[in-house]
């Protein structure tokens, strides 16, 4: 016995929008994970350099090789997963428009700089 599912356009649009947002959130979390990996590796490198300086040892290079070869130092799997998410999103949610998809996936960061100057005259 096979049942036929019926969905209205409105329901399909809601589901599509939720799925689209899920992809965006997942992609942004992957970006954070990749940044976290990079920052941890950078921090470990700085700690090892400081340790070498204090102890007069040259252990930083060998330790950094181990870190680079570990899961902590390698974000290749995360990068590959990000590429797969990008490809899927481009194909299914942006009509194969790469620019449109990437603008949607990447968070919009706005910078505003305000310069407040203080000019004063001191008379003595």
């Amino acid at each position: 016995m096979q049942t036929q599912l019926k969905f209205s356009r409105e329901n399909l649009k809601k589901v599509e929008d939720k799925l689209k947002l899920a992809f965006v959130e997942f992609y942004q979390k992957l970006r954070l994970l990749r940044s976290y990996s990079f920052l941890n590796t950078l921090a470990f490198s700085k700690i090892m350099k400081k340790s070498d300086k204090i102890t007069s040892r040259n252990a930083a290079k060998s330790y950094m090789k181990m870190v680079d070869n570990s899961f902590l130092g390698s974000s290749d799997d995360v990068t590959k997963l990000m590429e797969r998410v990008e490809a899927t999103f481009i194909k299914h949610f942006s009509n194969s428009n790469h620019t449109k998809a990437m603008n949607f996936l990447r968070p919009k960061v706005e910078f505003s700089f305000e310069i407040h100057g203080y000019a004063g005259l001191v008379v003595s």
Side-chain angles (χ1 to χ4, degrees), residues 28 89 97-108:
Q28 290 174 354
F89 195 87
N97 184 334
H98 184 271
T99 304
K100 179 181 171 184
M102 296 315 293
N103 285 339
F104 203 86
L105 281 174
R106 293 190 179 133
K108 288 128 184 96

Side-chain angles (χ1 to χ4, degrees), residues 12 45 57 75-76 79 92 95 105:
L12 286 174
S45 170
R57 292 178 57 206
S75 58
D76 294 341
T79 301
H92 297 287
N95 297 324
L105 281 174

